[in-house]
Amino acid sequence: MQHRITVLGAGYTGAIAAGRLAKRLRHEDVAITLVNAEPDFVERVRMHQLAVGQDLKPRPFSEMFAGTGVELRLARVTGVDVDRKTVAVTDANGSEELPYDTLVYALGSGWNAQGVPGAAEHTYEIASRPGALRLRERLARLAAGQTVVVVGGGLTGLEAATEIAEARPDLDVALAIRDGLGDWLSPKGRTHLRKVFGKLGITVYEHAAVTGVEADRVATADGKTIPAAVTVWTTGFVVHPIAKATALEVTGTGQIVVDGTMRSVSHPDVYAVGDAAHAIGPGNKPLRMSCASGVPTAWQAADAIAARLTGGKLPDTSLRYFNQCISLGRKDGLIQYVTADDRAVQAVLTGRLAAVYKELVCKGAAWGVANPTLGLPTRRRVPRERAAAGPAVEALG
Ligand SMILES: Cc1cc2nc3c(=O)[nH]c(=O)nc-3n(C[C@H](O)[C@H](O)[C@H](O)COP(=O)(O)OP(=O)(O)OC[C@H]3O[C@@H](n4cnc5c(N)ncnc54)[C@H](O)[C@@H]3O)c2cc1C
C-alpha cells in the first residue's frame, strides 16, 4: 500500500513541494497527486507584465511533471475534510473525493478588496491571470490622456504603476497610497523610487487611503476625489476561504497555523506552504506572502514529510529574507537588501542592473517550478514501516 500524499495547488510552492517529494521518496512507496484548477503554471509575479500586453511563456504542467512520478489532477478543490482525510474536487466530469494520508495545502491567495465600498465592483486586480487579462483588455481600449489610478503602495502597486506608465506613456498614471512612497525602504531606495516615478510621470498621492471607488473616480480619506478611467487595486492578498471552513487551526484571516516544519499545529498529517500558511520567521514575525519566503516553506515541508516518513533527520531550512526585488518597468528596478526579518538596510542596487537582477530572480523561480526534480540529489529512502518489514523493501539508494 502506497502512502498517499496530496498536494493542493500548483503555484510556486505546491509545484515545488510536489517535485521535491517525488525526488526524496521512492515512487513505489508513495503516490503523489498534485491538484490544480488550471492546466498550466501561472507566473503570478509577472501579472503586471501580462496586464500591459506582454506575453508570458506557456508552461503546461503536463510537460513539467512528465516522468517525475507526480500525478497531475486538473480539478477545482471545493473543500477539505481533515477528520475523514479527504479532499472534495470538481471537474468537467463532476465531483469526487480524494483520500489522502498526508496533505500539503498550497492554494495560495487572491486579491483583497478589504471591504472598501465600490472596490469589488469597479476595480481591476492583478493577483490572478483572469484579473490581469481583464485589465489588459481594458488598458488596450484606453485612449491617450485617460487616467489610471493604482491603489496600494506595496511591492505590487509599485510594480504595476511603473509597468503601466512605461508601457503606456500616453496615459496619465497615478498611485494612491495610505502612507509615504516606499517609506519602509532605505533612504537610497526611496530616492531612487522617487526619481523613477518622476521620470515616468506618475502622480503620487501620499497619505491618501482610498475609502471608496466609483466607475470613474476614487475618493480618499483626506477628502480628495481622483478621476480614474481605470482603477487597479493592489492593497494586499487574502487567502481562499477553504481552510477556514475546515477544523484546521487558522488565523483570523484564514491562514493555516503551522510549526517550524510547516506542519499544521492542529492536524499533524496536514502541511501548509506559501501564502496559505501562517509561518513564523526570524524576529518572531509571520512570513509575508511572497515567493521569497514561500519557496523555502515548500522545501521545508517536503523535506520534513520525507524525514518523518522515513525516520530521517528533520530539516532546518533557512526561512529568512535577503532582499526585496522590485521591478520598475522593464528598464529599471530596485533591489533593496534587508535583514533576516525583512527590514531595509542601507545597501541597494538600482537601475538597469537591478532590472536584470529581478528578471533573473523571476526566471529562476519559474525554472525551479518547471524543473521540479532536476538538480536535486536523489536521497530516496524507505518509509519506516516498510523498512521494518524486512530486506524485500530495502532502499534502492
Ligand atoms: C503582480 C504580482 C507581483 C508579485 N511579485 C512578487 C515578487 O517580486 N516577489 C515575491 O516574492 N512575490 C511576489 N508576488 C507574490 C507571489 O506571487 C505569491 O506570494 C506567490 O505566488 C505565492 O505562491 P503560492 O504557491 O502560495 O500561491 P500561488 O502562486 O497563488 O499558487 C496557488 C495555486 O493554487 C491554485 N488554486 C487556487 N485555488 C484553487 C482551487 N480551489 N482548486 C484548485 N487549484 C486552486 C491556483 O490556480 C495556483 O496554481 C507577486 C504577486 C503578484 C500578484
Side-chain angles (χ1 to χ4, degrees):
M1 175 83 174
Q2 288 173 305
H3 184 93
R4 295 161 302 187
I5 304 177
T6 303
V7 181
L8 306 184
Y12 290 95
T13 63
I16 285 175
R20 199 164 174 103
L21 283 163
K23 195 70 175 182
R24 293 279 186 248
L25 294 160
R26 300 195 318 174
H27 299 167
E28 55 269 48
D29 298 326
V30 289
I32 302 167
T33 306
L34 177 60
V35 186
N36 200 66
E38 298 191 51
D40 48 8
F41 176 64
V42 174
E43 282 187 88
R44 265 184 84 189
V45 302
R46 293 192 192 271
M47 287 302 102
H48 51 300
Q49 295 176 237
L50 187 65
V52 299
Q54 294 164 35
D55 290 325
L56 305 183
K57 189 173 172 199
R59 298 180 185 277
F61 288 123
S62 54
E63 283 176 18
M64 281 186 197
F65 285 97
T68 61
V70 174
E71 189 199 329
L72 187 64
R73 180 65 203 269
L74 293 181
R76 178 159 293 282
V77 176
T78 54
V80 178
D81 187 330
V82 287
D83 296 320
R84 290 174 51 241
K85 296 173 68 163
T86 57
V87 176
V89 298
T90 56
D91 61 16
N93 300 318
S95 306
E96 201 191 330
E97 277 194 342
L98 309 176
Y100 66 82
D101 297 307
T102 298
L103 186 74
V104 181
Y105 186 104
L107 290 181
S109 63
W111 74 295
N112 188 358
Q114 294 188 321
V116 172
E121 297 83 354
H122 301 302
T123 70
Y124 290 76
E125 57 100 356
I126 54 166
S128 71
R129 182 162 54 186
L133 288 173
R134 194 173 147 255
L135 176 59
R136 177 183 173 121
E137 189 268 329
R138 181 71 186 101
L139 287 177
R141 286 191 288 112
L142 278 189
Q146 288 193 286
T147 305
V148 176
V149 176
V150 176
V151 181
L155 303 180
T156 310
L158 301 180
E159 293 196 330
T162 48
E163 199 76 48
I164 296 169
E166 184 189 84
R168 290 291 307 270
D170 59 321
L171 296 177
D172 196 357
V173 179
L175 181 72
I177 56 182
R178 192 178 45 198
D179 304 309
L181 182 66
D183 58 6
W184 73 93
L185 299 167
S186 65
K188 273 189 201 156
R190 283 199 297 271
T191 303
H192 186 70
L193 208 53
R194 285 196 187 278
K195 197 176 96 190
V196 176
F197 270 64
K199 212 167 64 186
L200 291 172
I202 302 168
T203 309
V204 182
Y205 297 92
E206 295 177 279
H207 309 290
V210 171
T211 50
V213 186
E214 291 179 39
D216 58 356
R217 74 197 71 176
V218 303
T220 64
D222 57 356
K224 280 195 195 72
T225 297
I226 309 171
V230 168
T231 303
V232 183
W233 197 263
T234 71
T235 63
F237 305 131
V238 67
V239 294
H240 301 295
I242 292 174
K244 210 169 185 174
T246 68
L248 287 165
E249 184 172 331
V250 298
T251 61
T253 55
Q255 280 180 310
I256 298 172
V257 183
V258 293
D259 65 15
T261 65
M262 303 304 126
R263 192 187 213 182
S264 153
V265 295
S266 60
H267 291 74
D269 36 30
V270 177
Y271 291 72
V273 295
D275 288 0
H278 177 79
I280 300 299
N284 217 21
K285 292 190 331 205
L287 296 175
R288 72 179 149 87
M289 291 186 186
S290 67
C291 287
S293 54
V295 168
T297 67
W299 296 335
Q300 175 76 346
D303 292 354
I305 293 167
R308 287 195 170 110
L309 282 178
T310 61
K313 190 172 171 297
L314 279 177
D316 190 13
T317 306
S318 168
L319 299 173
R320 59 151 297 165
Y321 296 93
F322 295 95
N323 48 37
Q324 294 177 8
C325 302
I326 311 168
S327 68
L328 300 171
R330 292 301 89 204
K331 302 187 195 95
D332 211 321
L334 169 61
I335 310 300
Q336 172 65 65
Y337 293 93
V338 296
T339 56
D341 65 345
D342 211 20
R343 284 173 295 120
V345 297
Q346 287 304 315
V348 291
L349 182 68
T350 58
R352 198 171 276 275
L353 203 55
V356 172
Y357 187 109
K358 172 73 198 255
E359 179 57 25
L360 288 176
V361 167
C362 294
K363 280 205 170 105
W367 187 91
V369 173
N371 300 278
T373 60
L374 210 72
L376 272 185
T378 304
R379 275 184 270 144
R380 289 191 186 136
R381 302 183 56 170
V382 185
R384 267 197 278 222
E385 60 271 27
R386 290 202 163 207
V393 285
E394 272 304 310
L396 295 176

